[in-house]
């Protein structure tokens, strides 16, 4: 014996019902088919009843829609002489339905019993229709088998009586039997219903009573998913669940199967298979009591209830008082309120529980009635209701006795800026449940799914500001490397936002790095740092990284707000880290407090590992005594390019054309850029210095920097001859110019210096940078870091490396 249940969109069209016929024909010679109402009909029946109860004749229009829906199905599924028979019976049932609706219209009232009778017509009509559509099928009326009793406003199955009736009538049955789901009857023979998901429950009741080989639940999805695919695009079908795992996931919002469905078949150890009517070849999800062998993930899936209110009753008078919680939950039960999460402080001075939003006010009122005296005397100080929350549960048998699951969970939430309001975990270690703000649900689900490797890869969401030489080079590198990172490192870099100085674009699903220019040009979003920041905060995406490829002081002002919203910041922009020391510390502390990264390796030396190396030395107990460096690739290029045939002004121009200099070359030539870099390095070495503390000896007269950039180009050429005369002298001495930054004994300076062939700086070619780190360990022979220190591609590569480091690859 096999029991199959079809519902929802599975019975929503003639095409799907024909698919059902084919599926049933392959299931052997003993099959019970349980069906729900045709798709959408139950909602129409409720609407018709409610409309009639208000005295509104529009109920007839709703009834007409129900009638036409069934006639359309008859026309598509039934032919020949059988069609007349089916039409007559369907019309008889519809006439009964109309008479009941008309009665409701006249008395302006619909009782719970009458509503059950009305809604039951959905399954009665569909089961008759489908039984006649399947060749050789018989029809059963579930109300003759499933008996219920009323308890706390719900119809509960009397399994003793129900099993006896099913066994007596159907033991040894051969053929195909179609039965309506959802409907039942009480001891008086009155129609009752089994509530939400009742058709699943009906099928389980038949399967358990008859010791079926398997219960197949045919739906419109391929099985249980690791999470809601509408929220998490990387969610996938779970191939196997235990009964307990399936019950937990169903209870906390996974709508694949109704939770009570599992209980009857679990007791008889009957496996359940979740399958897709529209994709019958998909393997689906198997639910049984077997424990798979081999490597298994800690959690199987994530489920959520996005309709949550949290109620907390607290007061010093609750401490040590026996019976408080008994009274609390009895009051809720008497008010017919279901509680799905409970959390209590070990001090016993408060109890927190979760209910649906619609039950919150009723629960509040019930508690205030029950504890009115305690509230009056001050023993209970507050009953607080917080609405519009979400409850999330991670579920998995493998969490049992596995250390670190809860730690990893809450670390992931904290890193993404999700605050946990309440949490609960049973001793079975099967489920960890927690309550968060509803607005944080999407981010929380994605973060957890990613962190626990339920996805095929981890996702990092990038917001990139600036698409000049560095930004465009970075996007090109990402486009080239994306697939390799995903295939080999299981990391998906998803560019979800791009901004230039005029416009910005965002797309939660991702922007192709190779094709961003057209999308940016067509964007209707006018850009400013503040607007881009607000959009990033509004999107509230997990694992978000803001990447600053500009040199803008305005963009640097948004870092702190982004860090406060748990967005990592990676920047090639030196402004923030070299600005006021108080701001530098604030950014570092914000990142540390929120558990996110503030990375700026490319602020000094482009792609050279200078800052990371210094931090590693300091963290391992070393102390930096002296810094000596050539930190301007632009100035080094200029000094290496100047010759008897290439004057100063021409060398400066060539540096710009090669992409080495800042957009305004005066920043490099004035020494300001080197000062910023030296300040950053000194701060990393533990010294709270400001830019004003650095002694600067510029090699170009101050008045060249006055006015506009055009004025600079006019005046700087006047010094070509004098500069060449000085250069010729040091060349004769066997020396070369270098612009050297030094920090020692708390004194910082930048200056042009002539070095001879014995100095490590002498052979520094092109735009290269070099730094000598004299430390307690590297004292006699300083540590030397040397290489390309300027250029869009190496700077972009350094930024890229910082991004990758956030993923801990």
């Amino acid at each position: 014996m096999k029991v199959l249940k079809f519902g929802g969109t599975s019975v929503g069209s003639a095409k799907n019902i024909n698919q059902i016929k084919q599926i049933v024909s392959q299931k052997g010679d003993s099959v019970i088919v349980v069906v729900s109402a045709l798709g959408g009909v139950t909602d129409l029946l409720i609407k018709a009843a409610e409309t009639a109860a208000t005295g509104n004749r529009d109920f007839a229009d709703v009834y007409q829609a129900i009638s036409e829906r069934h006639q359309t199905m008859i026309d598509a599924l039934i032919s020949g002489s059988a069609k007349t028979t089916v039409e007559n019976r369907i019309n008889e049932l519809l006439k009964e339905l109309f008479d009941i609706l008309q009665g409701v219209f006249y008395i302006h009232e619909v009782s719970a019993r009458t509503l059950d009778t009305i809604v039951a017509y959905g399954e009665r009509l569909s089961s008759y229709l489908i039984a006649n559509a399947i060749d050789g099928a018989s029809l059963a009326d579930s109300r003759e088998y499933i008996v219920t009793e009323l308890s706390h406003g719900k119809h509960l199955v009397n399994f003793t009586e129900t099993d006896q009736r099913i066994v007596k009538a159907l033991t040894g049955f051969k053929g195909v039997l179609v039965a309506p789901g959802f409907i039942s009857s009480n001891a008086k023979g009155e129609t009752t219903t089994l509530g939400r998901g009742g058709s699943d429950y009906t099928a389980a009741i038949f399967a358990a009573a008859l010791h079926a080989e398997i219960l197949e639940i045919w739906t419109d999805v391929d099985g249980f998913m690791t999470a809601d695919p509408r929220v998490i695009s990387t969610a996938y079908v779970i191939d196997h669940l235990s009964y307990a795992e399936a019950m937990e996931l169903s209870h906390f919002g996974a709508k694949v199967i109704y939770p009570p469905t599992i209980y009857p078949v679990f007791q008889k150890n009957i496996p359940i298979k979740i399958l897709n009517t529209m994709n019958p070849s998909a393997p689906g999800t198997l639910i049984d009591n077997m424990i798979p062998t081999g490597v298994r993930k800690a959690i199987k899936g994530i489920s959520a209830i996005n309709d949550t209110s949290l109620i907390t009753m607290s007061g010093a008078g609750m401490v040590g008082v026996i019976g408080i919680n008994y009274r609390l939950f009895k009051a809720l039960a008497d008010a017919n309120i279901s509680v799905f999460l409970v959390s209590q402080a070990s001090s016993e001075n408060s109890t927190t529980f979760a209910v649906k939003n619609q039950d919150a006010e009723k629960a509040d009122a019930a508690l205030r009635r029950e504890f009115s005296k305690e509230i009056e005397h001050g023993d209970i100080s507050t009953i607080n209701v917080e609405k519009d929350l979400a409850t999330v549960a991670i579920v998995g048998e493998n969490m049992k006795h596995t250390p670190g699951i809860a730690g990893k969970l809450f670390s992931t939430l904290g890193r993404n800026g999700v605050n946990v309001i309440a949490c609960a975990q049973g001793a079975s270690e099967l489920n960890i449940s927690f309550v968060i703000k509803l607005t944080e649900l999407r981010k929380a689900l994605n973060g957890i799914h990613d962190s626990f490797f339920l996805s095929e890869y981890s996702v990092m969401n990038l917001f990139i500001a600036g698409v000049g030489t560095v930004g465009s080079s970075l996007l090109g590198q990402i486009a080239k490397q994306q697939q390799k990172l995903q295939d080999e490192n299981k990391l998906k870099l998803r560019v979800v936002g791009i901004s230039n100085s005029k416009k910005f674009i965002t797309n939660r699903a991702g922007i192709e790095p190779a094709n961003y220019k057209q999308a940016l040009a067509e964007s209707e979003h006018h850009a400013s740092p503040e607007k881009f920041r607000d959009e990033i905060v509004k999107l509230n995406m997990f694992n978000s990284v803001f990447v600053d490829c500009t040199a803008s002081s305005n963009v640097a002002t948004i870092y702190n707000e982004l860090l406060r919203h748990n967005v990592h910041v990676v920047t090639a922009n030196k402004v923030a880290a070299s600005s006021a020391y108080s701001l530098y510390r604030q950014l570092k502390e914000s990142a540390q407090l929120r558990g996110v990264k503030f990375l700026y390796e490319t602020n000094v030396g482009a792609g050279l590992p200078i800052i990371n190396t210094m931090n590693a030395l300091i963290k391992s107990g070393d102390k930096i005594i002296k810094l000596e460096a050539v930190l301007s690739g632009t100035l080094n290029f200029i000094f290496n390019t100047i010759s008897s045939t290439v004057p100063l002004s021409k060398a400066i121009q060539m540096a710009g054309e090669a992409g080495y200099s800042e957009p305004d070359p005066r920043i490099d030539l004035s020494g300001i850029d080197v000062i910023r870099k030296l300040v950053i390095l000194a701060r990393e070495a533990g010294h709270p210095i400001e830019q004003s503390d650095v002694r600067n000896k510029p090699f170009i007269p101050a008045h060249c920097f006055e006015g506009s950039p055009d004025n600079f180009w006019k005046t700087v050429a006047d010094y070509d001859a004098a500069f060449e005369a000085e250069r010729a002298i040091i060349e004769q001495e066997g020396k070369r110019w270098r612009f050297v930054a030094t920090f020692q004994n708390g004194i910082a300076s930048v200056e042009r210096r002539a070095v001879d062939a014995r100095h490590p700086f002498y052979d520094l070619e092109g735009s290269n940078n070099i730094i000598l780190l004299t430390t307690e360990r590297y004292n006699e022979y300083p540590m030397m870091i040397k290489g390309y220190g300027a250029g869009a591609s190496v700077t972009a590569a350094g930024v890229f490396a910082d991004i990758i480091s956030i993923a801990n690859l």
Side-chain angles (χ1 to χ4, degrees):
M1 169 73 71
K2 295 178 181 177
V3 177
L4 284 61
K5 178 265 177 178
F6 296 92
T9 55
S10 294
V11 289
S13 68
K15 178 181 178 182
N16 291 347
I17 292 175
N18 281 324
Q19 181 69 54
I20 290 172
K21 292 167 61 177
Q22 185 174 350
I23 291 169
V24 171
S25 68
Q26 300 169 355
K27 295 298 176 179
D29 62 356
S30 183
V31 182
I32 294 178
V33 178
V34 176
V35 297
S36 66
L38 298 183
V41 168
T42 298
D43 291 337
L44 289 174
L45 288 164
I46 294 171
K47 182 180 179 181
E50 291 174 345
T51 303
T54 63
N56 188 334
R57 289 188 179 276
D58 288 347
F59 80 87
D61 294 333
V62 182
Y63 164 82
Q64 187 61 33
I66 296 169
S67 177
E68 290 173 358
R69 182 75 187 281
H70 286 84
Q71 185 61 54
T72 299
M73 286 293 195
I74 293 171
D75 292 340
L77 295 169
I78 312 297
S79 59
S81 59
K83 183 175 181 182
T84 301
T85 303
V86 172
E87 284 179 329
N88 289 338
R89 178 55 182 158
I90 292 290
N91 288 331
E92 285 177 13
L93 291 170
L94 288 170
K95 178 64 168 59
E96 292 175 12
L97 171 63
F98 185 82
D99 289 345
I100 296 171
L101 289 170
Q102 198 161 34
V104 170
F105 169 76
Y106 287 132
I107 65 173
H108 290 198
E109 182 183 346
V110 58
S111 66
R113 192 176 79 180
T114 302
L115 183 62
D116 279 346
T117 301
I118 292 170
V119 174
Y121 275 93
E123 276 70 19
R124 292 177 65 191
L125 289 161
S126 68
S127 59
Y128 180 79
L129 178 60
I130 292 172
N132 282 274
I134 297 174
D135 294 338
S138 305
L139 176 67
D141 188 341
S142 299
R143 295 175 298 176
E144 296 178 5
Y145 303 108
I146 301 176
V147 181
T148 62
E149 299 170 344
L150 190 64
S151 177
H152 293 287
K154 294 184 178 181
H155 299 293
L156 303 182
V157 175
N158 179 335
F159 278 98
T160 301
E161 178 66 21
T162 296
D163 287 352
Q164 287 177 355
R165 292 189 182 193
I166 293 173
V167 169
K168 181 178 179 181
L170 299 177
T171 297
F173 172 81
K174 298 292 181 181
V176 176
L177 182 70
V178 177
F182 181 63
I183 65 175
S184 49
S185 64
N186 59 23
K188 298 178 182 179
E190 298 167 335
T191 297
T192 59
T193 59
L194 299 177
R196 183 178 68 86
S199 292
D200 288 354
Y201 197 22
T202 301
I205 291 167
F206 276 108
L210 296 170
H211 296 275
E213 174 187 338
I214 193 169
L215 167 61
E216 295 182 356
I217 305 293
W218 289 83
T219 69
D220 54 1
V221 295
D222 286 342
F224 267 94
M225 307 286 285
T226 52
D228 187 342
R230 294 169 299 179
V231 178
I232 301 175
S233 60
T234 55
Y236 57 88
V237 175
I238 305 169
D239 59 357
H240 179 270
L241 290 169
S242 68
Y243 292 116
E245 287 171 335
M247 276 194 270
E248 292 288 345
L249 287 171
S250 299
H251 177 72
F252 279 93
K255 297 179 180 179
V256 177
I257 190 171
Y258 182 51
T261 300
I262 300 168
Y263 180 71
V265 291
F266 161 66
Q267 285 193 313
K268 301 291 179 68
N269 197 23
I270 298 169
I272 306 171
K273 198 72 179 285
I274 309 297
L275 296 159
N276 189 345
T277 309
M278 278 66 78
N279 185 21
S281 62
T285 300
L286 177 66
I287 304 168
D288 60 19
N289 66 354
M290 301 297 291
I291 304 298
T293 58
V295 178
R296 296 170 290 157
K297 292 178 179 177
I299 68 173
K300 285 286 188 69
I302 314 164
S303 197
I305 300 172
N306 59 8
D307 174 20
T308 299
S309 286
L310 208 58
I311 301 176
T312 300
M313 187 173 80
S314 59
M318 296 173 62
V319 178
V321 178
I322 296 174
I324 286 285
N325 283 339
Y326 166 76
R327 290 173 57 195
L328 185 157
F329 292 112
K330 184 176 185 302
L332 295 173
D334 290 344
N336 199 27
I337 296 169
S338 176
V339 173
F340 51 82
L341 180 142
V342 179
S343 178
Q344 183 176 27
S346 59
S347 63
E348 298 184 331
N349 71 339
S350 69
T351 298
T352 299
F353 58 91
V355 298
K356 290 184 177 181
N357 284 320
Q358 67 184 30
D359 290 333
E361 292 182 5
K362 190 164 61 169
D364 181 46
L367 295 184
R368 292 184 185 280
R369 283 194 303 271
E370 176 65 28
F371 295 98
S372 58
K373 291 183 179 179
E374 287 84 353
I375 294 171
E376 182 181 347
H377 296 152
D379 295 330
I380 291 177
S381 54
T382 60
I383 298 177
N384 183 60
V385 178
E386 190 173 359
K387 292 185 176 181
D388 298 322
L389 305 174
T391 304
V392 181
I394 64 169
V395 174
E397 296 270 12
N398 297 334
M399 292 197 297
K400 294 177 182 178
H401 313 302
T402 303
I405 298 296
K408 185 175 183 179
L409 169 66
F410 295 119
S411 175
T412 298
L413 294 171
R415 191 170 60 249
N416 282 285
V418 178
N419 181 50
V420 175
I421 303 169
C423 64
Q425 180 180 18
S428 67
E429 299 185 78
L430 178 66
N431 173 328
I432 301 176
S433 308
F434 56 93
V435 179
I436 59 175
K437 289 182 179 178
L438 182 59
T439 54
E440 303 286 355
L441 180 59
R442 176 184 287 270
K443 182 195 282 190
L445 292 177
N446 276 278
I448 296 166
H449 201 269
D450 191 83
S451 179
F452 281 92
F453 305 106
L454 292 179
S455 304
E456 294 180 29
Y457 41 75
S458 296
V459 177
M460 187 169 289
N461 296 301
L462 307 181
F463 296 89
I464 298 175
V467 289
T469 56
V470 174
S472 59
S473 182
L474 174 64
L475 284 163
Q477 291 176 20
I478 290 172
K480 185 177 180 180
Q481 198 70 5
Q482 256 180 332
Q483 195 61 49
K484 184 177 181 181
L485 285 170
Q486 186 168 318
D487 293 343
E488 297 182 9
N489 301 99
K490 305 304 179 185
L491 173 65
K492 182 174 183 178
L493 292 181
R494 184 164 57 193
V495 179
V496 292
I498 300 175
S499 177
N500 60 21
S501 60
K502 296 179 180 178
K503 294 182 176 182
F504 74 86
I505 51 173
T506 57
N507 187 334
R508 186 181 287 275
I511 302 163
E512 284 296 328
N515 304 319
Y516 73 91
K517 291 183 180 179
Q518 183 178 350
L520 200 56
E522 295 172 353
S523 173
E524 297 180 357
H525 298 290
H526 297 288
S528 73
E530 293 75 22
K531 288 180 180 177
F532 197 37
R533 174 202 63 199
D534 292 345
E535 186 65 18
I536 294 169
V537 172
K538 178 182 175 183
L539 284 171
N540 198 27
M541 297 182 73
F542 78 110
N543 287 357
S544 290
V545 184
F546 175 73
V547 184
D548 183 3
C549 295
T550 75
S552 167
S553 57
N554 291 330
V555 173
T557 63
I558 70 174
Y559 294 176
N560 197 48
E561 187 68 14
L562 292 172
L563 292 169
R564 288 181 60 249
H565 282 86
N566 292 79
V567 177
H568 303 281
V569 173
V570 172
T571 179
N573 185 347
K574 292 179 280 292
V575 171
S578 64
S579 60
Y581 182 77
S582 58
L583 175 60
Y584 165 82
R585 286 306 315 163
Q586 184 183 55
L587 293 174
K588 300 275 279 190
E589 289 167 3
S590 291
Q592 186 176 31
L593 179 65
R594 294 289 180 173
V596 292
K597 299 291 181 66
F598 171 44
L599 302 178
Y600 42 91
E601 178 65 74
T602 54
N603 281 194
V604 182
L608 294 178
I610 297 173
I611 292 174
N612 284 337
T613 301
M614 289 177 60
N615 287 332
L617 289 171
I618 293 166
K619 289 176 181 176
S620 67
D622 205 351
K623 181 179 180 181
I624 295 173
I625 299 170
K626 180 182 178 181
L627 295 167
E628 190 176 22
V630 174
L631 299 173
S632 173
T634 304
L635 294 180
N636 203 53
F637 175 87
I638 291 170
F639 290 151
N640 284 332
T641 304
I642 293 172
S643 68
S644 58
T645 58
V646 180
L648 173 64
S649 59
K650 178 62 176 176
I652 295 171
Q653 183 181 349
M654 290 171 66
E657 291 170 351
Y660 294 134
S661 66
E662 296 286 339
D664 184 349
R666 296 176 298 175
I667 295 174
D668 295 295
L669 295 163
S670 65
I672 291 174
D673 188 56
V674 177
I675 289 172
R676 289 173 176 170
K677 294 175 180 178
L678 181 59
V679 165
I680 292 169
L681 293 181
R683 288 174 175 177
E684 294 301 300
H687 300 274
I689 76 167
E690 304 286 358
Q691 289 188 37
S692 58
D693 298 328
V694 182
R695 299 173 183 175
N696 183 12
K697 297 179 182 180
F699 61 92
I700 294 178
H703 72 268
C704 290
F705 302 104
E706 296 172 357
S708 66
D710 289 339
N711 181 66
F712 167 79
W713 288 111
K714 291 175 183 177
T715 57
V716 73
D718 295 340
Y719 292 91
D720 284 349
F723 214 81
E724 171 55 23
E726 291 182 51
R727 188 203 65 79
I729 293 172
I730 68 162
E731 185 178 48
Q732 290 176 0
E733 296 174 351
K735 296 179 180 179
R736 293 174 180 172
W737 275 326
R738 298 291 179 249
F739 197 77
V740 180
T742 307
F743 183 82
Q744 185 176 19
N745 298 325
I747 298 173
S749 66
V750 297
E751 61 182 344
R752 183 184 62 174
R753 188 187 304 172
V755 298
D756 60 28
R758 294 172 298 175
H759 199 287
F761 295 173
Y762 181 83
D763 290 321
L764 196 62
E765 298 178 354
S767 62
N768 286 1
N769 282 192
I770 186 171
I771 182 168
L772 301 178
L773 297 173
T774 303
T775 74
E776 290 181 344
R777 294 175 188 159
Y778 295 86
N779 199 310
E780 185 176 356
Y781 299 101
M783 177 184 287
M784 182 191 303
I785 302 172
K786 180 180 178 180
Y788 286 119
S793 62
V794 292
T795 302
V799 171
F800 202 168
D802 272 351
I803 293 169
I804 296 298
S805 72
I806 293 173
N808 294 319
L809 293 184

